[in-house]
């Protein structure tokens, strides 16, 4: 086998214990200065709600805390360490310029309770980002409130419902293609719509005949992921929009994959009525450990009355402020105005790139996905031969085992078992961030694993071998998570 540069190393701190296990009574990381203000009688202030027993808390010194969390942090895979080919997630590099801007004192220390008068800079950031996202999407208005993509979907569908209700009939159904992102049917169900599945054709696109047959006056909207989760652009998008509009339905576009479209085409121009963006994907704000994200929803004029409150307005004296008086609004979907720190980062990213830079980014993202497709085409099966946009889907039999083995080669695994229409899916999205060198390493790793599957399947089945723990019981972790440490039961009295 060809020599590969292994990126994974065994780490000296492989067996870090729980912080509770390091605890010993009386240790502390902090010494408070002597009290120089009158002591407050907390019992009097809090009454019965005062909690006397804080339960079991770890007692450790400062260095123990620092080392514990620093060591744990070295176990993490991160975009700053290597490629993150997790399809559909768009784990791209978050440029440092975003962070530099977000740390500017006046921006970082702004508080949402500050009066509008002294928050004009922050409001200006919200306004500028809104305008630029409207231009990028070709829509008419936007809300930046939603905190994630799925939250944006919910906000968008609440607006769809309010729109139909204002016309006297909320309608009952949302059509969702089988190539949609999993959050789409979940959101539709949450907003109390019935979900009707729409099948794809042999090219992996919406089956137009099926759509025509299923579209009627009970359908509130079609939720379309575009490009869909096969990484395929819906070439009949105009036709799809026309079919919906002819029967009074709306076209919702899941725009989490806008990194394949920015600067090239605008959803507003191809008939989309409402869509969300994922700032934490396309616009390079951090994904965080489950947050904070940002899922703005852009809409056409007809939906404007239903936008969440408050909306940003220019007041009669020319200053910026919020409008809370919107009788048809779906209401608030988020405390304050959304995740402001993410707006700053996304705006910095957009401004740093400019229109040409953003277009280049899109082209590079598509080029990289196609580079990987070409590199792996002979080794893994392609279920759809339709041209690939920002991600590519292969299929295989033991895709999860291959993903686990990839960890030993120093890569985060790709997405497995999704999209659902491809059995044994193996979904790869390199993003535009990756260099040819990193992608070559990835392709070589994937080819090398394919060979290992032939030569030593047991070894692959037992992977990963380079991590602190190998195979975890994923079902138990999902179904019976243990999220709290509890002291071991005291030994029985003799
Ligand atoms: C990531 C993603 C979502 C959900 O976004 P979250 O921010 O994770 O809620 C929805 N649709 C598509 C296509 C996505 O890739």
């Amino acid at each position: 086998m060809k020599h590969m540069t292994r990126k994974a190393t065994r780490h000296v701190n492989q067996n870090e214990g729980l912080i509770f296990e390091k605890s010993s009574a009386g240790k502390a990381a902090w010494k408070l200065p002597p009290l120089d203000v009158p002591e407050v009688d907390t019992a009097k202030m809090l009454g019965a709600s005062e909690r006397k027993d804080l339960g079991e808390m770890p007692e450790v010194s400062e260095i123990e805390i620092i080392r514990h969390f620093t060591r744990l942090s070295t176990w993490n895979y991160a975009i700053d360490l290597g490629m993150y080919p997790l399809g559909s997630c768009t784990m791209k590099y978050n440029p440092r310029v975003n962070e530099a801007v977000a740390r500017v004192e006046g921006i970082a220390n702004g508080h949402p309770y500050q009066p509008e008068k002294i928050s004009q800079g922050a409001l200006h950031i919200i306004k500028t980002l809104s305008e630029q996202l409207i231009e990028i999407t070709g829509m008419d208005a936007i809300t930046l409130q939603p905190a994630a993509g799925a939250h944006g979907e919910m906000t968008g569908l609440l607006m769809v419902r309010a729109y139909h209700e204002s016309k006297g009939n909320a309608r009952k159904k949302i059509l969702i293609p089988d190539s949609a992102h999993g959050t789409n049917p979940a959101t539709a169900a949450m907003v109390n719509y019935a979900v009707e599945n729409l099948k794809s054709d042999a090219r992996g696109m919406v089956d137009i005949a099926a759509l025509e047959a299923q579209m009627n006056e009970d359908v509130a909207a079609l939720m379309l992921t575009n490009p869909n989760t096969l990484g395929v652009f819906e070439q009949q998008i105009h036709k799809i929009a026309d079919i919906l509009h002819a029967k009074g339905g709306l076209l919702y576009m899941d725009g989490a994959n806008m990194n394949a479209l920015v600067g090239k085409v605008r959803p507003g121009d191809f008939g989309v009525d409402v869509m969300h963006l994922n700032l934490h994907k396309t616009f390079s704000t951090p994904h965080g450990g489950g947050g904070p994200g940002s899922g703005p929803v852009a809409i056409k004029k007809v939906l404007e009355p239903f936008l969440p409150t408050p909306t940003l307005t220019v007041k009669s004296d020319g200053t910026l402020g919020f409008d809370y008086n919107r009788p048809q609004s779906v209401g608030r979907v988020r405390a304050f105005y959304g995740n402001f720190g993410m707006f700053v980062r996304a705006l910095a990213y957009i401004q740093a790139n400019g229109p040409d830079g953003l277009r280049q980014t899109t082209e590079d993202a598509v080029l990289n996905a196609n580079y990987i497709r070409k590199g792996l085409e002979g080794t893994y099966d392609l279920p759809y031969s339709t041209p690939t946009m920002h991600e590519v889907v292969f299929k295989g039999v033991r895709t999860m085992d291959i993903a686990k083995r990839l960890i030993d080669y120093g890569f985060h695994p790709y997405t497995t078992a999704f999209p659902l229409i491809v059995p044994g899916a193996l979904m790869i999205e390199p993003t535009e961030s990756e260099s040819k060198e990193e992608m070559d390493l990835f392709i070589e790793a994937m080819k090398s694993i394919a060979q290992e599957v032939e030569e030593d399947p047991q070894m692959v089945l037992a992977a990963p071998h380079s991590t602190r723990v190998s195979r975890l019981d994923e079902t138990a972790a999902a179904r019976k998570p243990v999220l709290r440490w509890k002291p071991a039961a005291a030994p029985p009295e003799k």
Side-chain angles (χ1 to χ4, degrees), residues 86-90 147-153 179-184 187 224-229 252 254-259 276-281 287 290 293-295 390-391 418 427 429:
L86 209 46
S88 201
C89 292
T90 315
H151 193 197
E153 291 170 27
S179 63
H181 192 264
T183 48
N184 295 186
T187 301
L224 192 70
T225 305
N226 191 24
N228 64 33
T229 53
Y252 184 104
D254 179 332
N257 296 336
M258 270 298 280
N259 58 324
H276 77 265
L277 296 164
N278 280 38
L279 299 191
H280 48 288
K281 292 180 181 170
H287 277 56
S294 183
H390 63 297
E391 62 195 2
F418 185 79
M427 186 192 209
E429 179 177 14

Side-chain angles (χ1 to χ4, degrees), residues 234-304:
E234 295 285 350
Q235 289 171 12
Q236 305 261 53
I237 186 77
H238 282 286
K239 184 98 206 271
I240 292 170
D242 290 345
I243 294 171
L244 278 145
H245 293 154
K247 299 249 166 82
L250 297 175
L251 178 55
Y252 184 104
M253 187 178 115
D254 179 332
N257 296 336
M258 270 298 280
N259 58 324
L261 306 182
V262 172
K264 305 296 281 186
V265 290
R266 309 192 314 162
D269 298 336
F270 54 63
V272 169
D273 301 295
V274 44
M275 65 178 291
H276 77 265
L277 296 164
N278 280 38
L279 299 191
H280 48 288
K281 292 180 181 170
T282 313
F283 297 96
S284 82
T285 71
H287 277 56
S294 183
V297 178
I299 52 159
K300 285 283 174 61
K301 202 114 211 131
V302 288
L303 290 170
E304 205 169 357

